Amino acid sequence: MRDTKERISMNHGNGGIYMNKLITSLFLHFFENEQIREQADSAILRVNEGHLAYTTDSFVIDPLFFPGGNIGSLAVCGTLNDLAVSGAKPQYLSAGFIIEEGFKLAHLTRIVKSMAIEAEKAGVRIVTGDTKVVNAGKCDKLFINTSGIGLLEERHLGIGSGQKIKPGDKIIINGPPGEHGMAVMQARKLFAFKTNLKSDCANLYPLIRKILSASDHVHFMRDATRGGIATVLNEVARKCNTGIEIDEMQIPVNEEVKIMCEILGFDPLYIANEGKVIVIVDPDDAIEVVAAMKRTETGRDAAIIGEITSDHPGRVVLITRSGGKRIIDELIGDQLPRIC
Amino acid sequence: MRDTKERISMNHGNGGIYMNKLITSLFLHFFENEQIREQADSAILRVNEGHLAYTTDSFVIDPLFFPGGNIGSLAVCGTLNDLAVSGAKPQYLSAGFIIEEGFKLAHLTRIVKSMAIEAEKAGVRIVTGDTKVVNAGKCDKLFINTSGIGLLEERHLGIGSGQKIKPGDKIIINGPPGEHGMAVMQARKLFAFKTNLKSDCANLYPLIRKILSASDHVHFMRDATRGGIATVLNEVARKCNTGIEIDEMQIPVNEEVKIMCEILGFDPLYIANEGKVIVIVDPDDAIEVVAAMKRTETGRDAAIIGEITSDHPGRVVLITRSGGKRIIDELIGDQLPRIC
């Protein structure tokens, strides 16, 4: 048996004394709230009549710590964002940990603390959880699953599904794509060069609340995580059988992401983000939405980058800087695994 | 790149074409319902005013297939049971998959199909999901997280917390302990002997509905998974600062579990179950509750096994077959890792 004071041992997952100590001193300590304190098999939540948004996401990112965040802040923000882009106000989270035997308790503590801080900032509660420990070599350090529940007002129904999208709608992004993926690449220390890149990992709900206040004609939102904005736009084009045109000149650029992508042969449009949202709005409201976004921390670089077309349904087309056109295909091969 | 037709490749987790095919042909195909069909970032659920139970559980069982079930049926039943023992009617599940590159698609299909069958039988919907793929060697074949939401009637509030427990209350179990753990041990093929043991993996909601119909004085329920019934009883004794006495003569026995435990040096009271519930009820209702349980498939062998005492608070005491007394301590060392 390893030292259970400094490292996670199999006993931390067996349901007995060590597991109980871990739950009490770590999870209950940092996630403190009336529901989790009960330590029952389920958290009990009071709800009013209406609609809930419900989502889940597992996080397997490598490395666990990266500039701008760690797997814990990511696991909270990622699930909050999936709720927020559905038009919902995030309320409750669950947290499931799969931990490799021998994992440093100090690292787990840092991660759990980050989760608590992000949840607190967002005004959401982590109300139920689970801990499993697997033998050394049977998982890579730590995986976290979070699921989440949000409240959805009647008037925001359908924002996550894309059914309201129509030709002429403007496509907006809140900032330059690719920061998360490139920051994680940097953290893997595979390259000799160094950048100041930070992940854009952030809770987008405050931004999204502003967007929904600025317009009653937000037709779609989706955070552009795995596969980047190219993947979100292709999903929209396919699902709504509509064309999409985006203008390379209008897409915000992070110079370090641009240079790193050029060196490594990546396209920023396909790189994962953890704080970028694609917003599709009625053209009459687009300028007002961008203005509202620019007044927030996560929307400072917001820009209209393109529009929905009736031409070339199912296709995403990029107008290049030189004025040419290039099809932005769906991702086939793998650009960057374990980025989230 | 491995053959993406027969095995899971990194591309099945990248957000692109292969992942979309996997989601459509496997997950949406088997989990078919109006919410998951939307493929939005969140499922949208209509709720009435009241209380919800909310829970999460990750499953890392090894091996994935065992007599009586597989990781898929377990991931559905396990989370249903956590909702049911809180007094709730299970309604919605999420499913998050972490898959090792190279995992056989045929195995994944069998597992997903089992999940769909269990969910269908239970009348619950798997409404939202997530898929991550990690490189070969970075997880052990497949881990599944499920979270779940259930509806909780006002009159069943507090059943999961134990706050209603009082001295004199009777302790009931629905059948012999240890079948799941011993069936999984058998499936690991570490021993020369062979048994007909099957996991007790089952959805306990139908049984629990009968229990709650039979008595308005059910004071506590908990499914006895990791750490077995000894762990549940110790949690109750500690949390409610009450004593517990159980009578070895009254505990139902599975002869094969008994023999296997004797050979391997295990105590069935500490072995994991996936279809056993500890029910604590007012003494006046105990016989009626047992009678109601016996009329169900998962409660045929139900028995009163002990009671809550004001003596020795915090301690679980076993009256042995010979009439002696033995303290049933909390689990310290690890009996059987990765049993759920």
Side-chain angles (χ1 to χ4, degrees):
Chain A
M1 198 173 88
R2 300 236 206 169
D3 180 356
T4 50
K5 282 190 187 144
E6 291 190 4
R7 290 181 183 270
I8 293 294
S9 76
M10 293 307 290
N11 294 329
H12 283 115
N14 71 357
I17 285 183
Y18 285 103
M19 185 166 143
N20 186 53
K21 272 189 193 157
L22 183 72
I23 290 173
T24 312
S25 65
L26 186 62
F27 299 118
L28 296 194
H29 175 71
F30 283 110
F31 298 159
E32 166 60 15
N33 58 64
E34 60 179 293
Q35 284 91 358
I36 206 165
R37 204 184 306 137
E38 286 289 338
Q39 286 194 66
D41 269 351
S42 301
I44 308 304
L45 315 173
R46 208 180 142 73
V47 290
N48 292 320
E49 189 180 339
H51 292 90
L52 297 180
Y54 180 35
T55 192
T56 188
D57 218 338
S58 297
F59 296 84
V60 298
I61 191 165
D62 176 46
L64 299 178
F65 298 91
F66 49 85
N70 63 53
I71 189 172
S73 52
L74 190 63
V76 170
C77 291
T79 292
L80 291 182
N81 291 346
D82 282 346
L83 295 171
V85 296
S86 304
K89 180 176 192 306
Q91 292 273 298
Y92 301 108
L93 295 178
S94 71
F97 297 83
I98 300 175
I99 315 172
E100 187 182 12
E101 177 191 19
F103 189 64
K104 277 191 184 164
L105 202 53
H107 287 176
L108 186 62
T109 304
R110 239 175 97 191
I111 289 163
V112 169
K113 198 173 166 184
S114 298
M115 295 178 77
I117 290 169
E118 284 297 340
E120 170 83 27
K121 276 200 298 188
V124 304
R125 289 176 172 191
I126 298 170
V127 290
T128 186
D130 177 59
T131 311
K132 293 290 186 307
V133 180
V134 298
N135 305 79
K138 297 298 182 186
C139 86
D140 192 8
K141 302 180 286 289
L142 175 68
F143 300 148
I144 300 177
N145 174 284
T146 47
S147 76
I149 295 176
L151 302 181
L152 185 66
E153 288 179 49
E154 186 93 23
R155 64 196 176 105
H156 296 143
L157 277 173
I159 281 179
S161 72
Q163 65 206 28
K164 297 177 180 175
I165 291 172
K166 58 172 180 39
D169 281 356
K170 295 295 182 189
I171 300 166
I172 301 170
I173 192 167
N174 61 318
E179 290 166 337
H180 176 71
M182 287 299 109
V184 174
M185 284 301 276
Q186 175 78 51
R188 286 187 190 159
K189 299 192 171 102
L190 302 170
F191 318 108
F193 53 86
K194 209 173 148 29
T195 69
N196 292 310
L197 268 177
K198 275 173 69 177
S199 166
D200 58 346
C201 177
N203 168 19
L204 293 173
Y205 176 69
L207 170 73
I208 286 169
R209 203 178 45 191
K210 294 283 183 201
I211 294 170
L212 293 174
S213 301
S215 168
D216 287 331
H217 303 282
V218 176
H219 292 163
F220 180 75
M221 292 188 288
R222 172 83 44 108
D223 53 334
T225 56
R226 261 185 296 185
I229 65 171
T231 297
V232 170
L233 296 175
N234 268 288
E235 274 175 25
V236 169
R238 187 183 58 235
K239 206 173 154 189
C240 308
N241 196 32
T242 188
I244 287 180
E245 266 179 34
I246 54 171
D247 184 346
E248 193 170 21
M249 294 280 281
Q250 303 306 320
I251 301 172
V253 174
N254 175 313
E255 283 301 325
E256 289 194 302
V257 169
K258 190 182 158 199
I259 292 166
M260 210 170 151
C261 278
E262 276 167 9
I263 295 171
L264 300 173
F266 290 132
D267 182 342
L269 299 182
Y270 290 91
I271 304 294
N273 312 281
E274 288 293 344
K276 293 298 175 301
V277 58
I278 292 287
V279 186
I280 301 182
V281 296
D282 190 281
D284 290 345
D285 289 6
I287 289 169
E288 206 154 333
V289 167
V290 169
M293 289 168 79
K294 280 178 176 292
R295 287 194 291 271
T296 69
E297 204 184 319
T298 53
R300 276 197 312 269
D301 300 318
I304 299 171
I305 61 167
E307 66 176 44
I308 304 294
T309 64
S310 41
D311 287 353
H312 52 81
R315 284 268 182 228
V316 180
V317 172
L318 179 79
I319 318 285
T320 64
R321 282 171 195 280
S322 56
K325 287 189 174 186
R326 180 158 69 85
I327 287 173
I328 302 294
D329 255 332
E330 283 195 81
L331 198 58
I332 298 176
D334 202 42
Q335 282 219 326
L336 297 171
R338 297 189 58 195
I339 211 76
C340 58
Chain B
M1 197 173 90
R2 300 239 205 168
D3 181 355
T4 50
K5 282 188 186 146
E6 291 189 3
R7 288 181 185 271
I8 293 294
S9 77
M10 293 306 291
N11 294 328
H12 283 115
N14 71 356
I17 286 183
Y18 286 105
M19 186 167 143
N20 186 53
K21 272 189 193 158
L22 183 72
I23 290 173
T24 313
S25 65
L26 186 62
F27 299 117
L28 296 194
H29 175 71
F30 283 110
F31 298 157
E32 166 60 15
N33 58 63
E34 61 180 294
Q35 284 92 356
I36 207 165
R37 205 185 304 137
E38 287 288 337
Q39 285 194 65
D41 269 349
S42 300
I44 308 304
L45 316 172
R46 212 184 137 69
V47 289
N48 292 321
E49 189 180 338
H51 292 88
L52 298 180
Y54 179 34
T55 192
T56 188
D57 218 337
S58 298
F59 297 85
V60 298
I61 190 165
D62 176 47
L64 299 178
F65 298 93
F66 50 84
N70 63 53
I71 190 173
S73 51
L74 190 63
V76 170
C77 291
T79 291
L80 291 183
N81 292 347
D82 281 347
L83 296 171
V85 296
S86 304
K89 181 178 192 303
Q91 292 273 298
Y92 301 109
L93 294 178
S94 71
F97 297 84
I98 300 175
I99 315 172
E100 186 181 15
E101 177 191 19
F103 189 64
K104 278 191 184 165
L105 202 52
H107 287 175
L108 186 61
T109 304
R110 240 176 97 191
I111 288 163
V112 169
K113 199 173 163 183
S114 298
M115 295 177 77
I117 290 170
E118 284 296 341
E120 170 82 26
K121 276 200 297 187
V124 304
R125 290 176 170 191
I126 299 170
V127 291
T128 186
D130 177 59
T131 311
K132 292 290 187 305
V133 180
V134 298
N135 306 79
K138 296 299 182 185
C139 85
D140 191 10
K141 303 179 284 291
L142 175 68
F143 300 148
I144 301 177
N145 174 284
T146 47
S147 75
I149 296 176
L151 303 181
L152 185 65
E153 287 180 51
E154 187 92 23
R155 64 197 175 105
H156 297 143
L157 276 172
I159 281 179
S161 72
Q163 66 205 28
K164 298 177 181 176
I165 291 172
K166 57 172 179 41
D169 282 356
K170 296 294 181 188
I171 300 167
I172 301 170
I173 192 167
N174 60 320
E179 289 166 337
H180 176 73
M182 286 300 108
V184 173
M185 283 301 277
Q186 175 78 51
R188 286 186 189 159
K189 299 192 170 103
L190 300 170
F191 318 109
F193 54 87
K194 211 175 147 27
T195 69
N196 293 310
L197 267 177
K198 275 172 70 176
S199 166
D200 58 345
C201 177
N203 167 21
L204 294 174
Y205 177 68
L207 169 73
I208 286 169
R209 203 179 43 193
K210 294 283 183 201
I211 294 171
L212 293 175
S213 302
S215 168
D216 287 332
H217 304 283
V218 175
H219 292 164
F220 180 74
M221 291 187 288
R222 172 80 46 105
D223 54 334
T225 57
R226 260 185 297 185
I229 64 171
T231 297
V232 171
L233 296 175
N234 268 288
E235 275 175 25
V236 169
R238 188 183 57 235
K239 207 172 152 190
C240 307
N241 196 33
T242 188
I244 287 181
E245 265 180 35
I246 52 171
D247 183 346
E248 193 170 19
M249 294 281 280
Q250 304 306 321
I251 301 172
V253 174
N254 174 313
E255 282 301 326
E256 289 195 302
V257 169
K258 190 182 158 199
I259 292 165
M260 210 168 151
C261 278
E262 277 168 8
I263 295 171
L264 299 173
F266 290 131
D267 182 341
L269 299 182
Y270 291 90
I271 303 295
N273 312 280
E274 289 293 345
K276 293 298 174 301
V277 59
I278 292 287
V279 186
I280 301 181
V281 296
D282 190 282
D284 290 345
D285 289 4
I287 289 169
E288 206 155 333
V289 166
V290 169
M293 289 169 78
K294 280 180 175 291
R295 288 193 292 270
T296 69
E297 204 184 319
T298 52
R300 276 196 311 269
D301 300 319
I304 299 171
I305 61 167
E307 66 176 43
I308 303 293
T309 64
S310 42
D311 287 352
H312 53 82
R315 285 270 182 223
V316 180
V317 172
L318 179 79
I319 318 286
T320 64
R321 282 172 196 280
S322 56
K325 287 191 175 187
R326 180 158 69 85
I327 287 172
I328 302 294
D329 254 331
E330 283 196 80
L331 198 57
I332 298 177
D334 202 41
Q335 282 219 325
L336 298 170
R338 296 188 60 195
I339 211 77
C340 58

